[in-house]
Structures are given as structure tokens and as C-alpha cells.
């Protein structure tokens, strides 16, 4: 390439002061870049198009934590989500479409206040599906025939629940173009928020998805349908400073933490494309970065156990959360909320107004007992007290409009309680019971599922609670149906009495009695002031057993039941009409369905939370071996910690597992400039003690390409692709101190001559920093020759005159761009770094975009 052929500047963006640009900010397969800026003590994340327009900006800080910062960023394999790592430790996954927080994967293992998340990676599952020569005509996807999911998916879909967290106003619909700042965090209960789940899928729980409420949601669904399955079975990995890596299936379901090395952090991580094996290079403050990786094996990912467990956990959470929201709606319908009047309020207000009339006429009123007695007297004998006659005859209190509003409010609420408990709560709890039955079977197979730590007693207790919820919901449905019938009779009687008390009533008009006196009397005593339905929302936690409701104590089989029926038929006295039927008073039983569901949620969450870390418990870590040797003499144990090291792994040979691992190291803190050291390691990481070939090349930071023979002071650099580095430098002066123009350039590294170091010392005992020090010592004594920086192309930036700069690049063909942030002036410049042979492909990609 020609040095004189400059890059193309796509856009210059003015960002808020103190904005940051992470090295992974560029989207691998889209023309998008992410910037981070603190505003009013909150971290704001913005998504920009490479051409310069802002798509969205959201506040990603937690409301409960002050001074929270974003420390890492990773893109999902399908490019539809962004994973952010925060400090204090927290992980959030945001939609690329609007920045909405989709979910926050919980950290299974406890983290202390001193724990800090340091890195994040998101790996695609590149395993090829095995093709069977004989097609499976009975294939059911991921469902096993006879499993809970195979049964649930054939059940009728439950009606959706309105999700307020996804509702958008008209202003927010147009804010996509205006790029306004908005936060879309969902306020979930702690139990639901910390529940280990895959990305939510209501259809897997046989719940009808909520209707698409906006064009933005419709476009998001359309984009998700067009996306491939590259996110399925992907692994999100987050490292901390305690030597652990936390893994998440599909970027959501926690697989537990794996302890890789004490008092260290993962400097780089790579995944075997064919196996669930990771290769981690650990970095410590004293020992530097390990040269050979630690092999982390996750054998459980080779089986279907983690995904089956994750699917059941996700479906169970969907059903429990669905039930909790339905019960919240039922509670609001019955008792009301700040913005909505409940069904209990009109009757209490009506009776309270009658009490006030009683008090005005001199009656001693301490509660509503006097009013209820007067109403009962009017109902039974037709005689009304002076207060009741005045109250019922008053047009202000007994207008037809007021009665209709009262009737519609209470009637709609009772119908809601009846239908929701019968058609939503009961089926949801039944499906949850099916899921718990399946994992109960798993708990009794310790050889296969022992690592999941599924405790039979805990699951049995959860199943008992689910059964009580089913009984209680069915009971509530019957009580609401009975209450509705009595209320309707009460309204008929009330209209009858108003007609009788009306002074302008037509004597010839018929005002016949259409109400049931017993039903009205029952409503006056048990429904007007205090209803039995209140017990489903205000009493204690249900602890009843089926036997308390009349279910036989003995569990007879079918043969015994048939024999009992035959013996009853043979005895005429057993089938006589006068056979007495007893009535059991069950009013003393607690039946608070609202509290029971919350306890059930906590119980299930504990079961699945403990089981989720099975993959981490079954992990195996193998530190690097110590057989091969390379070096001339023992190196000093002190590590030069000021080195900035970038890494790139290149496939050396498709027919083998040998890695070609490149390291580029530079001392950014050197006052008089330094040389760029590039190391190449060839070894097979799958072997315990790999034979390693180490090559070194020293690039002198000066040359004829830019600034003649002046020294270059690197400001930042990174590997761009398998052939080039992209570097930022200023001519003369120390980096970040002397003012001057800043140049971005591509530097070739693949065709450098690498001097092979003699194998005389132990490789596994060295760190990357020590190997760099040794290569530089070789250069000082003349054993390794330096080469001028092989600049292929360069471009002088308009900004970045002084101060620090940040670099983010994407070397993927068709998306070859680099973004440079002037941190002092907060100016971001986007550059097209497309190669000469790729210009046509870039144009085609832009047309598709």
C-alpha cells in the first residue's frame, strides 16, 4: 500500500466532556460505535452511526449505587445486544435498537466490596451440528417427548399481562430521531431480578406475547426475526480481580464462577471453537501476565444438562412472574390503587354515608352495626327506620347514575377476580407444578444430575406450595362467582326499595320484587362492609392440606375406588335421597394467595439459583506446563509493569491446533520514547507441556514515512487484522506532553522477520513482560536487529493536538474502520481504513446497510 494514500474521514463528532472510548466500542458487523460519558454523576452510553448521527443515549447507572462506572463492553455474536460491565460489580445487557436494558445477569457467587470486574468477552458457538443421514420425522426441536416443555407447548396460550416497562409514550416514539436521553430500566422484585434465566420467551411458557404497541417494537421484532441463531449457545464471560471468570449461557443464564488463579485477573481469553474449553492468560501485579494460558474446561457444556436446566428455570420464572403480575392486577381491581378506585370502596363509602345520616338524627353510631341492622329490618319485614328511609329516598345518594357506576365497578372487579383466578392463575400454577415434577425426577438421578444439587425436600416443598396456590385460586374463583351473584341480588333489592320510596312513582306501575331475600341478606352480612374475598389478599400464608378441604386421607388406587363404588351401589341406603351432607366451615383457614405466590417465587428461585452454578462446579482448570525452555539466562523476577501489551491469535495451520500468537508491547510511560516489540509464539495449547517457538521483531519508532527520521511517540495501538497494526503517534516529544499533530497509521507485522530466541530457559516460568524485556536486551547487544516502522498508510488527524487519546478499531472485511477520541477536546473522529482491494466490497456493504 502507498503511504501517501490517506484514509477517509467519515465523521467528526463533538462529545460531552470526559467522554471515553473503549477498545471494543466498534460493532464487529455493523457501522456502529459506542461512547461513554458521565453526565450529572451518571454514566450515559451513546450509540452512534459511523456517518455521525446518534441513534440513542441512555443512562445506564443504577439508582441505588453512586459513582458507578462502565469498565468493559462486549457485543453479542448477532450484533443485537451490548453487554456492559460496571463497577461496583454489575452486568447489564442492552438492546442495540433503543438502548433498553433487556436484562441484568446475576452473579451467582458472592462478590465482596473489593471485587472489581475487569474484562468481558462474548463467544459465539461455532460447533457444527451433526447431520444424520436418516431424517428424524419425530424431531421436536430441543424438547424431549414426554417432558414438561413438550406438554406445555400444546396447551392453550394464557392471556398476556400488560407490561408497563415496555410502554412508550408518543414523545418517546419520536425520540429515536431526536436522540433524547431516557432510561428504560425495569423495576423487578429482587427475587425475579436475581432469577437465573435465558433471554425471556413467553411462548415457551405457553403465554401469549403482549401486543406490539409501537412501530419501534415492531421493527425490533422484525430485526430479531431476520437475525441468525449465532447468539444461541453463546457464552458471555466476565473476569474479576479475584482470579475468577463468570460464565453466562446466551449472555444471560449464569453458569457459575470458575477460579482460575488467585490474586490475578484475566488479561486475555480465547475459546476453542470446537469444544467448551477456554484459554486464559492471567495477570498479577507482581508476576505479570502468564505466557502460556490456563486451560479451563467446562465439560458440562458438552451435554444438554445446562440448557435443559436453563430452559426450565426460564419457563418457571416466566410463569411465576406472570402469576405475580396477574395477582397484582387482581389486588388493584379489588382494593384499588392511587389512581384507580377498587371494588371495595363504593360499598364502604355508601355504608359510611348512611352512618353519617344516622348520626345526624341523633343515633349513637360507633360502627356500621346500626346501619346494617336497619337495612336487614327493611329487607325482611319492609319496615325502615327514619334514617334509612331518608337516605334511600334522597336522589343525591341514590341516583341511577351512581348506582350504575357502583354496579359496573364491583361487577367488573368480581368478573376479573373470577376469570383471572380460574383462567390465568390456576393454569400458570399447574404448569409450574409440571416443571417442578420434572426436576424432582432429576433430583433422584444423582449420577447424572448430582452436580446440580437439586434437593428433593426443597422441590417437594415448592410443589406443595404450587398445589396450595392451585387450590386457593380455584377457591377464589368460586368465592368471586358467589359474591357476584349476591351483589347482583343486592342491587336488584336496592333499586326495588328506591322505587318504593320514590315520591313521584306511578301507582299503576309495577314494582315487583325480583331479588332473592336470602342472597341479599348474605351480602349485607358478609359482603358489604367486609367481604370474604379480602382473605385472599390480607390473611396469613396458606398452610392447609388437601385433607382440610375434604379430600380423603387415604390415597386409593383405581381398583379400590371401583370396589368402593360397587359396594355403595349394592347398598340402597347409601344412595338414599335423605343421605345427610355435612358442611365444613373453612373460614379459619389462611388463604392469602398474594403472599403464597411470593413465598413460592423465593422457594423456586433458591432451587434454580443453586442449580445454575453446576457448570462452574464441574469445571476443570489446568495451569500451563513447565517442560519446554527458551532463554539464555535466568531473567530478573521484577516485572516492568508500564508495558502496554496487545494480543492477537492467528490460525497458523487449519489442519492442526497450533496457535500463532502475536504480542505487541510498548512502554507508553517512557519519557524519551521507546521501540515497539512484537513477539510471535507458535505452540499447541491443547497439550499439557507445549513446545513453543518464540520469535521477536523490534520496530524502531522512526522512519522516512512520516516526520523523516524523527522519533515517534506512540499514544495508542492495537492489532487491526491478521496483517496490520493500527497505531497513533506524535512526532517528537513525550507522549501526551508535547503539542503537535497526531498521525494514525497502519503498520504491517505479518511479513516482519522474527528472530527466533534460543531455547535455553523455562518458558512457563516467564511472563509476557519478562519476555519483552529479554527481547529488548537482545536488541541492545545486537542479537536482534531493529527495523524502521513499516508504515503502509497514514492520516494526520485534525484534532488530538495534545493530551491523551483513545483508539477503537474494527478490521473485519467490509467494516474496516478506526475511531480516535481526543479525550481533552472530546472530539471523536471516524476513519475509513479500507484496503485498496476491498473498496468495492465496502461500497456493496454500505448499499446493503
Amino acid at each position: 500500500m502507498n503511504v501517501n494514500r490517506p484514509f477517509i474521514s467519515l465523521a467528526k463528532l463533538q462529545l460531552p466532556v470526559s467522554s471515553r472510548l473503549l477498545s471494543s466500542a466498534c460493532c464487529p458487523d455493523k457501522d456502529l460505535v459506542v461512547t461513554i460519558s458521565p453526565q450529572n454523576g451518571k454514566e450515559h452510553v451513546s450509540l452512534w452511526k459511523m456517518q455521525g448521527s446518534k441513534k440513542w443515549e441512555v443512562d445506564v447507572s443504577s439508582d441505588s449505587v453512586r459513582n458507578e462506572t462502565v469498565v468493559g463492553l462486549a457485543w453479542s455474536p448477532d450484533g443485537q445486544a451490548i453487554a456492559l460491565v460496571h463497577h461496583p460489580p454489575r452486568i447489564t445487557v442492552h438492546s442495540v435498537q433503543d438502548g433498553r436494558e433487556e436484562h441484568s445477569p446475576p452473579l451467582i457467587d458472592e462478590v465482596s466490596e473489593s471485587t472489581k470486574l475487569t474484562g468481558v468477552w462474548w463467544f459465539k458457538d461455532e460447533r457444527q451440528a451433526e447431520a444424520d443421514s436418516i431424517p428424524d420425522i419425530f424431531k421436536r426441536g430441543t424438547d424431549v417427548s414426554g417432558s414438561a416443555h413438550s406438554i406445555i407447548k400444546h396447551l392453550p396460550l394464557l392471556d398476556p399481562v400488560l407490561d408497563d416497562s415496555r410502554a412508550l409514550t408518543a414523545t418517546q416514539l419520536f425520540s429515536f430521531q431526536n436522540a433524547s436521553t431516557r432510561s428504560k430500566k425495569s423495576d423487578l422484585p429482587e427475587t425475579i431480578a436475581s432469577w437465573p434465566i435465558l433471554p425471556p420467551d413467553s411462548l415457551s411458557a405457553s403465554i401469549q406475547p403482549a401486543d406490539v404497541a409501537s412501530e419501534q417494537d415492531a421493527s425490533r421484532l422484525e430485526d430479531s426475526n431476520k437475525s441468525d441463531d449465532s447468539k444461541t449457545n453463546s457464552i458471555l464471560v466476565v473476569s474479576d480481580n479475584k482470579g475468577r471468570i463468570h460464565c453466562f449461557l446466551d449472555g444471560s443464564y449464569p453458569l457459575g464462577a470458575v477460579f482460575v488463579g488467585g490474586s490475578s485477573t484475566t488479561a486475555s481469553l480465547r475459546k476453542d471453537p470446537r469444544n467448551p474449553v477456554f484459554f486464559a492468560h492471567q495477570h498479577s501485579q507482581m508476576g505479570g501476565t502468564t505466557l502460556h494460558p490456563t486451560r479451563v474446561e467446562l465439560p458440562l457444556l458438552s451435554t444438554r444438562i445446562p440448557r435443559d436446566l436453563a430452559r426450565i428455570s426460564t419457563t418457571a420464572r416466566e410463569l411465576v412472574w406472570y402469576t405475580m403480575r396477574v395477582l397484582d392486577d387482581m389486588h388493584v381491581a379489588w382494593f384499588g390503587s392511587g389512581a384507580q378506585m377498587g371494588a371495595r370502596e363504593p360499598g364502604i363509602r355508601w355504608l359510611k354515608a348512611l352512618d353519617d345520616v344516622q348520626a345526624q338524627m341523633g343515633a349513637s353510631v360507633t360502627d356500621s352495626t346500626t346501619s346494617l341492622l336497619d337495612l336487614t329490618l327493611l329487607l325482611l319485614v319492609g319496615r325502615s327506620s327514619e334514617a334509612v328511609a331518608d337516605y334511600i329516598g334522597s336522589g343525591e345518594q341514590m341516583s341511577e347514575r351512581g348506582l350504575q357506576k357502583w354496579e359496573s365497578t364491583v361487577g367488573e372487579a368480581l368478573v376479573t377476580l373470577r376469570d383471572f383466578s380460574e383462567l390465568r392463575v390456576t393454569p400458570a400454577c399447574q404448569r409450574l407444578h409440571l416443571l417442578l415434577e420434572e426436576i424432582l425426577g432429576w433430583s433422584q438421578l444423582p449420577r447424572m444430575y448430582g452436580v446440580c444439587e437439586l434437593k428433593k425436600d426443597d422441590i417437594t416443598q415448592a410443589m406443595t406450595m404450587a398445589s396450595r396456590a392451585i387450590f386457593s385460586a380455584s377457591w377464589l374463583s368460586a368465592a368471586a362467582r358467589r359474591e357476584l351473584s349476591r351483589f347482583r341480588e343486592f342491587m336488584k333489592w336496592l333499586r326495588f326499595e328506591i322505587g318504593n320510596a320514590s315520591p313521584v312513582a306511578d301507582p299503576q306501575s309495577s314494582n315487583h320484587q325480583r331479588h332473592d331475600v336470602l342472597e341479599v341478606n348474605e351480602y349485607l352480612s358478609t359482603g358489604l362492609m367486609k367481604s370474604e374475598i379480602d382473605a385472599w389478599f390480607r390473611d396469613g400464608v396458606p398452610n392447609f392440606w388437601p385433607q382440610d378441604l375434604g379430600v380423603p386421607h387415604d390415597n386409593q388406587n383405581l381398583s379400590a375406588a371401583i370396589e368402593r363404588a360397587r359396594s355403595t351401589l349394592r347398598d340402597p341406603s347409601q344412595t338414599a335421597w335423605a343421605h345427610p351432607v355435612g358442611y365444613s366451615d373453612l373460614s379459619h383457614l389462611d388463604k392469602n394467595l398474594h403472599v403464597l405466590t411470593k413465598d413460592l417465587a423465593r422457594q423456586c428461585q433458591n432451587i434454580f439459583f443453586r442449580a445454575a452454578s453446576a457448570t462452574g462446579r464441574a469445571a476443570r482448570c489446568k495451569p500451563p506446563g513447565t517442560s519446554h525452555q527458551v532463554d539464555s539466562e535466568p531473567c530478573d523476577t521484577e516485572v516492568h509493569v508500564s508495558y502496554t501489551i496487545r494480543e492477537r491469535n492467528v490460525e497458523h495451520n487449519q489442519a492442526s491446533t497450533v496457535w500463532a500468537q502475536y504480542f505487541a508491547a510498548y512502554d507508553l510511560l517512557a519519557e524519551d520514547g521507546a521501540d515497539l516489540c512484537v513477539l510471535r509464539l507458535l505452540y499447541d495449547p491443547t497439550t499439557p507441556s507445549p513446545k513453543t517457538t518464540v520469535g521477536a521483531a523490534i520496530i524502531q519508532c522512526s522512519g522516512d514515512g512520516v516526520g523523516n527520521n524523527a522519533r515517534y511517540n506512540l499514544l495508542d495501538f492495537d492489532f487491526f487484522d491478521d496483517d496490520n497494526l493500527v497505531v497513533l503517534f506524535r512526532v517528537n516529544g513525550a507522549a501526551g506532553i508535547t503539542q503537535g499533530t497526531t498521525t494514525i497509521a497502519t503498520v504491517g507485522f505479518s511479513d516482519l522477520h522474527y528472530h527466533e530466541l534460543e531455547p535455553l530457559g523455562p518458558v512457563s516460568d516467564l511472563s509476557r513482560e519478562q519476555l519483552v524485556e529479554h527481547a529488548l536486551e537482545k536488541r541492545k547487544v545486537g542479537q536482534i536487529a531493529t527495523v524502521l516502522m513499516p508504515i503502509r498508510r497514514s492520516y494526520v488527524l485534525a484534532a488530538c493536538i495534545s493530551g491523551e487519546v483513545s483508539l477503537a478499531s474494527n478490521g473485519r472485511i467490509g467494516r474496516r474502520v478506526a475511531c480516535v477520541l481526543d479525550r481533552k477536546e472530546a472530539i471523536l473522529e471516524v476513519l475509513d481504513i479500507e484496503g485498496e482491494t476491498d473498496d468495492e466490497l465496502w461500497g456493496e456493504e454500505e448499499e446493503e446497510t
Side-chain angles (χ1 to χ4, degrees):
M1 298 183 183
N2 190 351
V3 176
N4 296 324
R5 183 174 180 267
F7 305 136
I8 300 175
S9 178
L10 299 178
K12 294 183 179 66
L13 311 176
Q14 181 63 57
L15 305 181
V17 180
S18 302
S19 294
R20 293 183 291 128
L21 181 71
L22 301 180
S23 60
S24 56
C26 294
C27 181
D29 60 353
K30 294 180 178 63
D31 296 331
L32 302 172
V33 62
V34 172
T35 60
I36 304 171
S37 57
Q39 299 179 26
N40 300 322
K42 301 283 188 178
E43 286 278 76
H44 286 238
V45 172
S46 303
L47 183 69
W48 300 80
K49 292 184 178 180
M50 293 295 184
Q51 292 75 18
S53 61
K54 183 189 292 186
K55 290 194 64 175
W56 47 257
E57 178 180 321
V58 294
D59 173 15
V60 298
S61 299
S62 173
D63 296 332
S64 59
V65 179
R66 298 184 61 184
N67 300 324
E68 187 180 46
T69 59
V70 176
V71 297
L73 178 152
W75 296 84
S76 64
D78 61 358
Q80 296 297 322
I82 305 172
L84 299 179
V85 172
H86 306 253
H87 181 74
R90 190 169 69 96
I91 307 169
T92 56
V93 177
H94 299 261
S95 170
V96 170
Q97 300 300 323
D98 55 8
R100 175 180 53 87
E101 182 180 313
E102 294 183 340
H103 52 270
S104 179
L107 294 169
I108 292 291
D109 295 67
E110 295 183 1
V111 292
S112 60
E113 295 181 356
S114 61
T115 302
K116 182 178 181 180
L117 303 181
T118 56
V120 57
W121 302 263
W122 204 329
F123 297 100
K124 177 182 177 180
D125 181 27
E126 300 179 3
R127 292 176 294 179
Q128 299 294 330
E130 298 180 1
D132 194 349
S133 58
I134 302 177
D136 186 3
I137 61 175
F138 298 105
K139 186 176 181 181
R140 298 294 184 267
T142 56
D143 295 328
V144 177
S145 298
S147 64
H149 277 105
S150 67
I151 298 173
I152 291 176
K153 74 176 184 179
H154 293 295
L155 298 176
L157 297 179
L158 301 177
D159 293 334
V161 178
L162 179 62
D163 189 357
D164 296 334
S165 64
R166 300 178 67 92
L168 296 176
T169 63
T171 303
Q172 290 174 331
L173 286 173
F174 292 98
S175 63
F176 183 82
Q177 289 81 7
N178 297 333
S180 64
T181 302
R182 61 188 184 277
S183 178
K184 292 188 177 180
K185 305 181 182 70
S186 57
D187 298 327
L188 297 176
E190 179 61 27
T191 302
I192 300 299
S194 60
W195 197 306
I197 60 169
L198 295 170
D201 180 15
S202 58
L203 285 177
S204 65
S206 193
I207 301 174
Q208 178 69 40
D211 294 334
V212 177
S214 65
E215 296 178 1
Q216 189 172 350
D217 288 333
S219 64
R220 178 167 58 247
L221 292 174
E222 183 179 356
D223 290 340
S224 63
N225 292 333
K226 292 181 180 179
S227 62
D228 53 18
D229 295 332
S230 56
K231 190 176 178 181
T232 304
N233 291 326
S234 63
I235 304 296
L236 175 68
V237 183
V238 177
S239 63
D240 61 25
N241 60 346
K242 301 297 182 181
R244 297 177 299 183
I245 58 174
H246 307 263
C247 303
F248 302 87
L249 183 63
D250 291 359
S252 176
Y253 181 77
L255 298 172
V258 181
F259 185 76
V260 182
S263 301
S264 65
T265 184
T266 304
S268 62
L269 190 70
R270 180 180 177 181
K271 182 182 180 297
D272 189 324
R274 292 174 289 272
N275 300 293
V277 178
F278 295 93
F279 301 95
H281 292 270
Q282 295 300 110
H283 175 81
S284 62
Q285 191 68 22
M286 296 299 297
T289 308
T290 59
L291 197 60
H292 284 163
T294 299
R295 180 185 175 94
V296 181
E297 299 177 357
L298 303 178
L300 208 61
L301 287 181
S302 300
T303 68
R304 59 178 299 154
I305 292 178
R307 177 156 290 275
D308 287 346
L309 186 61
R311 292 187 64 211
I312 287 186
S313 178
T314 304
T315 304
R317 186 262 196 186
E318 287 292 303
L319 291 170
V320 171
W321 180 225
Y322 175 85
T323 304
M324 294 174 66
R325 286 181 292 169
V326 169
L327 289 173
D328 287 339
D329 292 343
M330 294 167 63
H331 187 276
V332 171
W334 188 243
F335 290 105
S337 62
Q340 179 179 343
M341 182 175 65
R344 296 289 294 117
E345 190 173 350
I348 297 175
R349 284 184 178 180
W350 185 83
L351 197 58
K352 182 66 169 60
L354 178 56
D355 292 341
D356 294 340
V357 174
Q358 296 271 15
Q360 291 174 6
M361 294 188 175
S364 177
V365 179
T366 57
D367 53 22
S368 299
T369 304
T370 304
S371 298
L372 290 174
L373 288 175
D374 289 346
L375 291 172
T376 304
L377 181 64
L378 176 62
L379 171 66
L380 298 179
V381 300
R383 292 177 53 188
S384 63
S385 64
E386 184 180 355
V388 172
D390 181 71
Y391 184 68
I392 292 181
S394 62
E396 180 181 356
Q397 298 292 339
M398 294 297 160
S399 64
E400 183 61 26
R401 182 178 180 182
L403 293 178
Q404 289 179 356
K405 183 177 181 181
W406 184 4
E407 188 172 16
S408 64
T409 301
V410 177
E412 291 175 2
L414 289 172
V415 169
T416 298
L417 295 182
R418 180 195 66 190
D419 293 345
F420 278 22
S421 57
E422 181 178 5
L423 302 178
R424 296 190 181 189
V425 178
T426 299
C429 293
Q430 290 171 342
R431 297 168 198 205
L432 177 62
H433 198 278
L434 280 175
L435 297 171
L436 294 174
E437 284 180 349
E438 182 162 344
I439 64 171
L440 178 64
W442 294 358
S443 67
Q444 300 178 61
L445 299 173
R447 296 188 62 180
M448 182 178 297
Y449 297 97
V451 68
C452 298
E453 296 185 359
L454 296 170
K455 297 182 179 180
K456 179 181 178 181
D457 294 340
D458 293 344
I459 301 174
T460 303
Q461 183 179 357
M463 292 175 61
T464 301
M465 298 170 71
S467 300
R468 287 174 180 159
I470 295 171
F471 278 110
S472 184
S474 301
W475 193 356
L476 173 58
S477 177
R481 185 177 289 105
R482 185 167 56 249
E483 184 94 352
L484 178 60
S485 176
R486 293 171 179 171
F487 173 74
R488 287 172 176 171
E489 295 299 321
F490 170 75
M491 294 305 296
K492 292 178 183 178
W493 169 74
L494 198 57
R495 284 189 170 94
F496 171 76
E497 295 296 344
I498 293 174
N500 291 337
S502 176
V504 295
D506 187 1
Q508 297 181 354
S509 63
S510 59
N511 188 24
H512 300 294
Q513 176 178 338
R514 297 183 178 88
H515 57 273
D516 187 328
V517 175
L518 295 179
E519 291 292 313
V520 176
N521 182 63
E522 190 69 23
Y523 186 78
L524 287 175
S525 59
T526 63
L528 186 59
M529 189 63 190
K530 181 179 181 182
S531 173
E532 63 173 334
I533 295 180
D534 297 350
W536 273 269
F537 301 98
R538 288 184 173 176
D539 282 353
V541 181
N543 290 314
F544 58 81
W545 296 96
Q547 293 76 15
D548 299 331
L549 305 179
V551 178
H553 290 268
D554 52 339
N555 296 323
Q556 296 181 349
N557 54 28
L558 181 60
S559 299
I562 293 176
E563 182 60 31
R564 181 180 177 184
R566 288 175 177 174
S567 62
T568 302
L569 292 174
R570 285 192 293 265
D571 186 0
S573 63
Q574 298 292 326
T575 57
W577 288 103
H579 186 72
V581 177
Y583 175 78
S584 300
D585 183 13
L586 305 178
S587 60
H588 64 282
L589 296 178
D590 292 327
K591 38 189 177 289
N592 192 329
L593 188 57
H594 208 254
V595 176
L596 175 61
T597 306
K598 293 181 179 180
D599 290 348
L600 175 60
R602 283 190 290 268
Q603 181 70 13
C604 293
Q605 191 266 353
N606 291 333
I607 294 173
F608 291 112
F609 195 84
R610 182 173 59 249
S613 57
T615 302
R617 288 192 293 267
R620 298 190 296 262
C621 292
K622 298 180 180 180
T626 58
S627 62
H628 188 60
Q629 302 181 3
V630 57
D631 221 340
S632 58
E633 54 189 47
C635 293
D636 191 358
T637 57
E638 183 180 357
V639 178
H640 196 160
V641 295
S642 65
Y643 282 123
T644 298
I645 299 179
R646 311 298 187 195
E647 172 189 351
R648 187 172 185 89
N649 296 291
V650 179
E651 189 174 9
H652 183 63
N653 188 348
Q654 296 182 355
S656 65
T657 58
V658 175
W659 281 11
Q661 196 170 32
Y662 290 89
F663 302 114
Y666 184 81
D667 187 0
L668 293 176
L669 301 181
E671 297 182 357
D672 55 350
D675 293 331
L676 181 64
C677 178
V678 182
L679 300 177
R680 183 185 65 188
L681 276 68
L682 301 178
Y683 67 95
D684 184 359
T686 61
T687 59
S689 300
K691 179 180 179 181
T692 307
T693 301
V694 181
I698 308 298
I699 298 178
Q700 181 179 340
C701 293
S702 62
D704 296 330
V706 178
N708 298 324
N709 293 323
R711 296 289 301 179
Y712 303 159
N713 296 284
L714 297 191
L715 306 177
D716 202 354
F717 64 97
D718 203 351
F719 285 95
F720 186 65
D721 53 23
D722 291 346
D723 297 315
N724 297 283
L725 287 159
V726 57
V727 298
L728 291 170
F729 61 85
R730 294 194 185 105
V731 179
N732 294 328
I737 299 178
T738 302
Q739 295 186 355
T741 59
T742 298
T743 302
I744 181 172
T746 54
V747 176
F749 71 89
S750 61
D751 53 356
L752 293 175
H753 174 71
Y754 290 90
H755 177 80
E756 184 174 348
L757 300 181
E758 298 179 359
L760 297 176
V763 165
S764 60
D765 293 344
L766 297 177
S767 66
R768 293 179 180 178
E769 292 80 3
Q770 290 173 333
L771 193 60
V772 171
E773 288 279 3
H774 177 65
L776 294 177
E777 290 295 330
K778 292 285 187 179
R779 191 262 301 171
K780 289 181 180 179
V781 298
Q783 296 185 12
I784 299 179
T786 59
V787 296
L788 296 179
M789 182 178 292
I791 296 177
R792 296 182 173 180
R793 295 172 62 190
S794 65
Y795 178 83
V796 178
L797 300 173
C800 306
I801 301 300
S802 62
E804 297 181 352
V805 298
S806 298
L807 171 67
S809 62
N810 181 14
R812 182 173 176 174
I813 295 178
R815 307 288 178 189
R816 299 167 68 84
V817 294
C819 300
V820 182
L821 175 64
D822 183 347
R823 300 188 64 177
K824 181 179 180 180
E825 301 295 334
I827 298 177
L828 178 68
E829 187 166 0
V830 183
L831 301 167
D832 173 10
I833 311 187
E834 185 66 16
E836 293 177 355
T837 60
D838 299 325
D839 292 339
E840 185 178 352
L841 181 58
W842 171 270
E844 295 176 357
E845 292 284 346
E846 284 295 319
E847 291 178 1
E848 294 178 1
T849 304

